[in-house]
Amino acid sequence: MTSNTPHPVRDVLIVGAGFAGLYAVHAFRRAGLDVVCLEAGSDVGGTWYFNRYPGARCDVESIDYSYSFDEDLQNEWVWSERYATQPEILAYIHHVADRFDLRRHVLLERRVTAARFDEHASRWTVRTAGGEEHRARYLLFATGSLSAPNRPDIPGADEFAGETYFTARWPEPGPSLAGKRVGVIGTGSSAIQSVPILAREADSLTVFQRTANYSVPALNRPLTEADQRRIRAEYPARRAKARASGGGSPHESYPKRAVECTPEEREAALEAGWRNGGVLFGKTFPDQFTDITANDYAREFAERKIREIVRDPVTARDLIPTDHPIGTKRICTDSGYFETFNKDTVALVNLRREPITRITPRGVETTAALYELDVLVYATGFDAMTGALTRIDISGARGRSITEAWADGPVTYLGVQIPGFPNLFTVNGPGAPSVLSNMVLTAEQQVDWLVDLVRHADGTGATQVEVRDDAAVKWTDHVQQAADATLFPRANSWYLGANIPGKPRRFMPYVAGLGAYRQRCEEVREDGYEGFVFTTR
């Protein structure tokens, strides 16, 4: 790679300026290291910069989905709602970037296209789409687990004469849909959040569903002044509890296993879980993800709720999943999703009965009909966990590419390093709790741990840090075994890459949870970073 714009060799180069990347800038700078961050967007925010679709909202409570590293920041920011919307989350990220003077370390509109490791110089050279080259001793990818949009290969997609949008890249300002016939392909989280809002504006809305998903009402509400006082008083204990938990939040399951409860007790617990709202319903009982009988109790309860909400029995039946235990695909969080299908202007097309044959200039054609549309929205998800990395031309030691290294699925050690790629680290990716946990707290833990790792290497005079192959294989096997002890592998989910044709099937997130993960990371550090090799070139 040749350099058009030479830059000094940094200590740490970070890719991505979302929650994880910005915290990495702060933490490495605090450690006295020279750091620069490259961000593809025209502002900081990561996922919350790009995902601007109507209804975009976090499914982790705002007071938990926030930084914990600074007590003053924690106490001064006032969240307006239980579950914050995208604009409020983005405003919070901007506030943090400004408050801690992080922007001066971030270069915007620098989409990374390639990275090469020089074994003799012990440094990475990174190229951007604009032809710039940046060099650093260490390279950290904070590119997000859900940041590489998936565009399905549908015949005729480029022929559609109307407007086309992707929820993952919604334009700003948003388009007007008034008086228009709108179609939505996909029924994952972004569709479930956006459909009620799109239906209010559009003249008609047609939802094309291949796979039904479970969704639980968010039961969102404003946070009162009394809530704010309580939150600040509880924060220290709340954070400690969250760090020791599985999901990175302080919520606990019912104290008894579902199979140990009487029918009346079980029903009351499930009703309380439903009223608690959102993904927390999936954690009503401690055995809900390990015992199919317990899961069936929760699944049948949720299905009754759907039938109570949706008036047309055929539509209700089509909206109920039949292919996975509840929660083994991430339970979605909605505000009126199922109720939307009671509107005369909203139709559901079951693509299992009538698959899409092609997109025409006039709309979507299935085996049964042509649905004429003015606007087509793709809510088709992401190449999750690995896509943001494999779309970059990354070459490690001995010229090995990331696509070669992960040809059979991602292999990592503790979710932070890939064998054959010295001085390269990943955050919130495969092999870590990532998408099965509160990703803000997980990012803080991983970044702090990596700062200590780099300090250790510098203190010993090592110029390269690389994980042993056997350590990475052992950890990756452990991640799979942890998943196999649950019901999660029974679902063809994006957790194991099933939504991307040809992608190797491997369960990617660490299902044992944040508390167990933190403990293992501490053990590795106390053992002198067992599994890592430190060398000097």
Side-chain angles (χ1 to χ4, degrees):
M1 300 192 308
T2 60
S3 176
N4 293 331
T5 307
H7 292 274
V9 178
R10 309 282 188 169
D11 290 321
V12 183
L13 191 153
I14 298 160
V15 182
F19 268 108
L22 287 176
Y23 181 66
V25 169
H26 173 72
F28 279 106
R29 185 183 66 179
R30 184 175 54 191
L33 297 172
D34 183 21
V35 59
V36 67
C37 177
L38 305 181
E39 166 56 44
S42 58
D43 205 343
V44 300
T47 292
W48 299 104
Y49 170 81
F50 286 107
N51 283 268
R52 300 168 179 267
Y53 61 85
R57 187 186 299 272
C58 189
D59 60 1
V60 177
E61 290 179 277
S62 309
I63 59 175
D64 297 315
Y65 191 77
S66 56
Y67 290 120
S68 68
F69 69 88
D70 186 275
E71 189 172 351
D72 290 338
L73 168 67
Q74 188 168 260
N75 288 324
E76 75 187 15
W77 183 265
V78 177
W79 292 103
S80 69
E81 295 180 293
R82 185 185 181 204
Y83 294 103
T85 59
Q86 177 269 338
E88 187 170 8
I89 296 172
L90 188 59
Y92 171 76
I93 295 173
H94 287 172
H95 171 76
V96 172
D98 294 336
R99 189 185 191 282
F100 294 94
D101 191 24
L102 303 180
R103 290 182 184 271
R104 65 187 174 93
H105 299 277
V106 181
L107 300 178
L108 300 172
E109 298 180 342
R110 264 67 166 199
R111 183 173 61 84
V112 170
T113 58
R116 298 282 187 276
F117 185 66
D118 184 332
E119 296 178 66
H120 300 291
S122 298
R123 70 187 183 199
W124 283 92
T125 300
V126 172
R127 176 179 278 273
T128 69
E132 288 184 354
E133 287 190 348
H134 299 264
R135 297 168 295 164
R137 296 192 297 130
Y138 293 96
L139 175 59
L140 187 149
F141 280 100
T143 44
S145 298
L146 299 170
S147 56
N150 172 43
R151 177 168 182 165
D153 185 15
I154 303 176
D158 294 333
E159 300 175 12
F160 182 59
E163 304 167 47
T164 300
Y165 303 107
F166 285 78
T167 52
R169 294 293 184 267
W170 200 258
E172 178 68 22
S176 172
L177 304 178
K180 296 176 182 177
R181 301 165 297 177
V182 178
V184 176
I185 298 178
T187 50
S189 179
S190 60
I192 284 173
Q193 289 185 329
S194 62
V195 157
I197 297 174
L198 298 178
R200 289 201 291 268
E201 185 177 355
D203 185 63
S204 66
L205 180 69
T206 305
V207 178
F208 298 90
Q209 173 190 277
R210 184 182 63 180
T211 305
N213 271 299
Y214 290 105
S215 185
V216 177
L219 301 181
N220 193 39
R221 63 176 178 82
L223 294 175
T224 65
E225 189 59 41
D227 289 328
Q228 305 292 349
R229 290 193 298 270
R230 174 183 53 79
I231 288 165
R232 277 146 188 75
E234 294 177 352
Y235 247 142
R238 186 181 185 100
R239 293 296 199 185
K241 196 172 184 179
R243 292 189 186 96
S245 72
S249 70
H251 298 280
E252 296 179 337
S253 299
Y254 193 72
K256 293 169 64 175
R257 297 169 63 232
V259 294
E260 297 172 341
C261 297
T262 65
E264 295 77 17
E265 186 180 10
R266 192 163 48 240
E267 185 75 8
L270 288 167
E271 184 64 41
W274 189 268
R275 289 199 306 272
N276 207 10
V279 296
L280 296 176
F281 176 76
K283 303 175 183 179
T284 300
F285 293 108
D287 54 344
Q288 205 160 309
F289 288 127
T290 56
D291 187 318
I292 191 61
T293 301
N295 190 277
D296 283 344
Y297 290 135
R299 177 184 57 78
E300 292 165 2
F301 181 93
E303 291 173 3
R304 291 201 306 271
K305 290 290 188 181
I306 294 171
R307 292 190 184 97
E308 290 172 4
I309 295 170
V310 181
R311 290 194 292 265
D312 178 63
V314 174
T315 302
R317 183 190 65 203
D318 287 346
L319 287 167
I320 294 173
T322 59
D323 64 343
H324 65 279
I326 189 169
T328 55
K329 291 183 177 181
R330 189 175 180 91
I331 293 178
C332 298
T333 299
D334 73 89
S335 298
Y337 177 68
F338 293 114
E339 291 87 342
T340 299
F341 291 95
N342 291 328
K343 294 185 174 183
D344 294 336
T345 55
V346 177
L348 180 69
V349 177
N350 187 331
L351 299 179
R352 299 293 183 186
R353 276 200 303 271
E354 48 174 299
I356 293 175
T357 56
R358 67 180 295 104
I359 308 294
T360 76
R362 295 164 57 197
V364 175
E365 184 180 278
T366 71
T367 55
L370 171 63
Y371 297 88
E372 296 190 357
L373 304 169
D374 303 305
V375 178
L376 185 55
V377 176
Y378 289 90
T380 45
F382 301 89
D383 184 354
M385 307 290 288
T386 61
L389 288 180
T390 57
R391 295 183 186 191
I392 299 172
D393 180 14
I394 303 173
S395 180
R398 299 165 292 282
R400 192 184 193 197
S401 72
I402 189 74
T403 52
E404 290 171 340
W406 284 357
D408 298 321
V411 177
T412 74
Y413 186 47
L414 301 176
V416 298
Q417 194 171 49
I418 307 160
F421 294 81
N423 294 12
L424 183 151
F425 306 120
T426 59
V427 178
N428 272 336
S434 55
V435 293
L436 292 179
S437 182
N438 175 353
M439 294 176 71
V440 181
L441 288 191
T442 304
E444 287 182 331
Q445 182 272 334
Q446 287 189 297
V447 168
D448 287 343
W449 196 88
L450 288 170
V451 168
D452 288 345
L453 177 65
V454 169
R455 278 173 163 169
H456 175 81
D458 287 351
T460 62
T463 57
Q464 292 186 23
V465 180
E466 183 176 0
V467 62
R468 297 197 318 265
D469 285 334
D470 64 310
V473 169
K474 184 177 180 181
W475 176 256
T476 302
D477 287 345
H478 171 62
V479 170
Q480 185 62 56
Q481 290 161 5
D484 290 341
T486 72
L487 303 174
F488 278 96
R490 297 196 185 191
N492 284 323
S493 69
W494 54 259
Y495 293 148
L496 48 79
N499 64 318
I500 304 297
K503 187 170 181 175
R505 300 290 182 91
R506 176 171 291 170
F507 198 85
M508 293 179 280
Y510 184 49
V511 76
L514 179 57
Y517 177 78
R518 290 174 61 90
Q519 181 179 348
R520 179 55 187 150
C521 288
E522 291 308 304
E523 291 170 353
V524 169
R525 177 163 50 191
E526 291 168 5
D527 288 342
Y529 295 101
E530 185 273 330
F532 290 94
V533 177
F534 299 86
T535 58
T536 301
R537 290 294 177 96

